[in-house]
């Protein structure tokens, strides 16, 4: 079958497809002409995202409520469809929670990945895009961080990503039929420009951008800025914020690479630019017209001063680079929050 025909007819399986990055990636894939099957146990997402996806993309997707640790459910899923590739987002992602519940994190993130790989093996589907994280660089010795930098884990969440990366490296070495793209995301923020889908954290947000948008919409009184004595230009922490739609497009580029080159890769997905907490707060206020009340508090345990990506490899191998600037990230994050003050539950 011609490659483009295959692309149209054989769906791509997206685990964690109801979640933040998974739902945005689903839109990007559908807009590129793919059919997608979303699988999610909804432990950190809402079924209401499915109505939003239907409004954006029509019926080019199917949803299966299942847990990736459930091998029988995955077998049934693979048996009834000819899946071309899998993008594996499903997992737990809260660093603090992982310190308190390491067993649960290893179960979902490592156990879930093993269960998925075994089901893929049984089904003869050996093309995978895996969600890793810049957290595998720990406290980097220097920035920007290339993919060759030393890997380490500073908390159980990070350890689960490192263990999965190690497993995937062993797997591709052992069996050349496996083609795996390990994508190390920096700090995903923003939302689809429609304001229909976005990040909907439950409880108090751990991450900076959703905290800022909740202050702006009046749900929280002020942002706590964790540390103003970091060795950075303005003393606040520096990160590489990347628009979630750029990140989604990076997954499409990685899938195309695997199809085209028939080999594995590990790449950073970031913008290559470091932005401080203060800069993000100031940009958000300028772009949206909502000043963000804030106070300086002690550093958050486990944080690092600065972390941003060397993006040379992604540009070279994937022909991909981020296109949306910080103002656009703020604008889109705010549109989503303003249109959906209670996330999907309104
Ligand atoms: P998310 O929580 O919004 O999405 C993850 C989805 O996986 C959720 O819908 C959840 O219900 C589902 N899920 C969890 N465990 C499952 C299981 N056992 N079976 C089936 N579904 C399950 O998170 P996200 O921000 O979209 O992150 C997606 C992936 O990217 C995760 O693997 C995360 O670790 C990774 N990542 C996220 C960030 C970030 O800052 N958002 C950064 C780097 C890496
Ligand atoms: C960004 C900056 C904070 C909240 C985390 C995970 C990482 C990855 C992405 C999954 C830092 C500061 C934050 C607040 C603040 N996730 N901050 N007040 O810590 O870079 O990365 O999410 O893989 O693994 O560790 O992102 O958004 O939490 O923090 O001052 O209320 O904002 O100190 O400098 P982080 P973040």
């Amino acid at each position: 079958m011609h490659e483009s025909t295959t692309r149209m007819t054989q769906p791509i399986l997206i685990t964690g497809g109801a979640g933040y990055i998974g739902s945005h990636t689903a839109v990007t894939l559908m807009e590129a002409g793919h059919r997608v099957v979303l699988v999610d146990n909804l432990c950190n997402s809402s079924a209401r995202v499915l109505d939003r996806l239907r409004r954006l993309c029509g019926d080019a997707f199917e949803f299966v409520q299942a847990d990736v640790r459930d091998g029988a459910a995955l077998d049934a899923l693979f048996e009834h469809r000819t899946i071309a590739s899998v993008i594996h987002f499903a997992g737990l992602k809260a660093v603090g929670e992982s310190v308190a519940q390491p067993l649960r994190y290893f179960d979902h993130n490592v156990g879930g990945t093993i269960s998925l790989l075994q089901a893929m093996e049984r089904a003869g589907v050996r093309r995978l895009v895996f969600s890793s994280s810049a957290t595998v660089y720990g406290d980097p010795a220097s920035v920007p961080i290339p993919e060759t930098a030393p890997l380490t884990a500073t908390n159980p969440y990070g350890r689960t990503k490192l263990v999965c990366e190690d497993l995937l490296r062993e797997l591709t070495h052992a069996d050349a039929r496996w083609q795996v793209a390990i994508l190390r995301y920096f700090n995903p923020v923003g939302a689809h420009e429609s304001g229909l889908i976005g990040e909907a954290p439950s409880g108090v947000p751990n991450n900076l951008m959703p905290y800022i948008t909740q202050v702006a919409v009046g749900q929280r009184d002020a942002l706590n800025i964790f540390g103003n004595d970091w060795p950075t230009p303005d003393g606040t922490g520096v990160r590489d914020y990347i628009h979630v739609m750029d990140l989604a497009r990076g997954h499409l580029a990685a899938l195309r690479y695997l199809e085209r080159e028939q080999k594995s890769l590990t790449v950073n997905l970031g913008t290559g630019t470091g932005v401080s907490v203060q800069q993000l707060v100031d940009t958000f206020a300028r772009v949206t017209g909502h000043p963000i009340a804030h106070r300086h508090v002690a550093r958050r345990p486990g944080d690092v001063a600065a972390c941003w990506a060397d993006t040379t490899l992604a540009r070279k191998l994937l022909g991909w680079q981020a296109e949306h600037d910080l103002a656009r990230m703020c604008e889109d994050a705010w549109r989503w929050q303003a249109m959906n003050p209670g996330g999907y539950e309104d």
Side-chain angles (χ1 to χ4, degrees), residues 61-72:
F61 73 93
E62 190 189 341
F63 175 68
V64 177
Q65 185 168 349
D67 195 300
V68 290
R69 295 166 299 172
D70 182 347

Side-chain angles (χ1 to χ4, degrees), residues 13 15-16 39 41 66-71 74-75 78 86-93 103-122 125-133 156-172 178-183 185:
L13 181 67
T15 76
V39 55
N41 67 358
D67 195 300
V68 290
R69 295 166 299 172
D70 182 347
L74 294 180
D75 284 346
F78 281 111
V86 178
I87 308 184
H88 181 36
F89 294 105
L92 306 178
K93 63 166 180 177
L103 193 53
R104 183 163 162 255
Y105 269 69
F106 274 74
D107 186 17
H108 279 261
N109 294 7
V110 179
T113 300
I114 293 174
S115 161
L116 174 68
L117 293 170
Q118 287 172 329
M120 289 175 68
E121 181 82 51
R122 289 192 291 274
V125 179
R126 294 187 181 82
R127 195 180 291 140
L128 177 80
V129 177
F130 176 71
S131 298
S132 189
S133 165
Y157 167 74
R159 179 69 63 192
T160 67
K161 290 295 173 191
L162 210 42
V163 169
C164 288
E165 281 206 9
D166 283 339
L167 167 58
L168 292 168
R169 278 186 280 272
E170 298 289 357
L171 187 61
T172 51
W178 278 93
Q179 295 151 22
V180 176
I182 294 175
L183 305 182
Y185 316 151

Side-chain angles (χ1 to χ4, degrees), residues 17 36 48 101 143 159 167 173 208 217 252 257 272 322 331:
V36 299
R48 295 194 183 168
Q101 305 174 14
V143 278
R159 179 69 63 192
L167 167 58
H173 287 151
L208 179 60
V217 85
L252 185 59
Y257 175 94
E331 204 181 293

Side-chain angles (χ1 to χ4, degrees), residues 34-52:
H34 291 281
R35 286 193 59 78
V36 299
V37 179
L38 312 180
V39 55
D40 202 299
N41 67 358
L42 302 178
C43 72
N44 195 40
S45 47
S46 163
R48 295 194 183 168
V49 71
L50 304 173
D51 294 330
R52 306 295 181 87

